Amino acid sequence: GNSVTQMEGPVTLSEEAFLTINCTYTATGYPSLFWYVQYPGEGLQLLLKATKADDKGSNKGFEATYRKETTSFHLEKGSVQVSDSAVYFCALSGIGGTSYGKLTFGQGTILTVHP
Amino acid sequence: EAGVTQFPSHSVIEKGQTVTLRCDPISGHDNLYWYRRVMGKEIKFLLHFVKESKQDESGMPNNRFLAERTGGTYSTLKVQPAELEDSGVYFCASSPGTGRTSVIWKNIQYFGAGTRLSVL
């Protein structure tokens, strides 16, 4: 079945540091890949997505590239801010059978950014 | 436009009691999903409604869980009787229907804030 392995945290950075959160996946075919973010006290929000190989998703300074050859979708940001402190989830949506639409998530990575 | 709303935000019950969680999806969204995150682990899929029909309920843990979506609008998830291991955060998400199941996987799912269930 589908699975997502996400870099374990927590991750603690200083403001303006470079961020990488690793995400690799196992799936049949060509899944869509997502990064969701959960800010304190809020629900999950879509941060970015990519629907085919070599696509780059980007939003709010975050980027992730769909790498089929390495089955990866690593999240990066060049300069983090205190307001980026949140829990980040990598997820995929597969195809085939009855799996249309349902998301498979990684474990989540807690990011804390200090001033 | 209102987002996905879930009630209650937090529920504390004793083992053996019944709890009903409610989810109001974004108006017009045919697809409704339930997920659960237990004790800081990964978020896991429970089930998927298309309108009022259960498309996929492969993630439901056992028959103590009953989900309904009467009329294809809001949905309820009932746990009866609750056990300690049911504690966690229950998320609901919705996405628009496309009329073509082959592209459902591209649709973005919009999540509610979740219901934190504590079974004591």
Side-chain angles (χ1 to χ4, degrees):
Chain A
N2 297 337
S3 68
V4 175
T5 300
Q6 189 175 335
M7 169 179 164
E8 294 200 20
V11 175
T12 302
L13 296 173
S14 297
E15 208 165 22
E16 300 184 0
F18 183 85
L19 168 70
T20 299
I21 301 178
N22 290 338
C23 172
T24 57
Y25 68 89
T26 302
T28 56
Y30 298 90
S32 276
L33 301 174
F34 306 86
W35 276 99
Y36 278 86
V37 59
Q38 184 179 24
Y39 297 104
E42 300 182 13
L44 278 76
Q45 303 173 23
L46 178 70
L47 181 59
L48 52 84
K49 71 171 186 175
T51 58
K52 61 182 187 294
D54 299 325
D55 264 4
K56 178 184 283 187
S58 61
N59 185 26
K60 299 181 180 180
F62 291 89
E63 293 183 339
T65 301
Y66 189 142
R67 301 286 188 200
K68 185 162 178 62
E69 63 277 13
T70 55
T71 61
S72 65
F73 193 55
H74 304 322
L75 182 68
E76 296 182 338
K77 186 174 185 182
S79 176
V80 295
Q81 305 301 312
V82 172
S83 57
D84 294 327
S85 298
V87 185
Y88 292 80
F89 295 93
C90 184
L92 70 81
S93 180
I95 59 173
T98 60
S99 67
Y100 289 155
K102 78 180 181 187
L103 292 169
T104 300
F105 285 90
Q107 307 95 307
T109 300
I110 299 172
L111 171 66
T112 302
V113 180
H114 292 298
Chain B
E1 179 182 280
V4 177
T5 53
Q6 293 187 244
F7 308 96
S9 57
H10 192 187
S11 180
V12 182
I13 62 172
E14 293 188 352
K15 175 182 173 181
Q17 290 185 322
T18 297
V19 63
T20 300
L21 314 180
R22 172 168 168 150
C23 169
D24 286 68
I26 293 173
S27 178
H29 281 192
D30 288 341
N31 296 287
L32 188 149
Y33 303 83
W34 283 99
Y35 296 87
R36 176 174 75 168
R37 189 181 192 207
V38 174
M39 292 198 58
K41 296 186 178 179
E42 68 271 23
I43 300 169
K44 288 196 171 180
F45 167 82
L46 295 178
L47 86 160
H48 170 207
F49 284 99
V50 177
K51 297 184 179 178
E52 67 275 10
S53 300
K54 292 176 184 175
Q55 176 75 18
D56 180 358
E57 50 184 332
S58 61
M60 295 288 264
N62 52 60
N63 59 11
R64 295 186 293 103
F65 290 74
L66 175 63
E68 295 180 325
R69 193 184 182 194
T70 306
T73 55
Y74 70 91
S75 174
T76 58
L77 179 64
K78 179 189 289 187
V79 185
Q80 180 182 27
E83 298 290 344
L84 299 179
E85 64 265 24
D86 300 332
S87 296
V89 181
Y90 290 76
F91 292 102
C92 174
S94 71
S95 69
T98 66
R100 293 179 57 206
T101 56
S102 62
V103 296
I104 285 178
W105 59 281
K106 292 186 178 181
N107 285 341
I108 297 170
Q109 293 184 26
Y110 297 86
F111 281 77
T115 293
R116 181 174 296 279
L117 175 63
S118 299
V119 182
L120 307 178

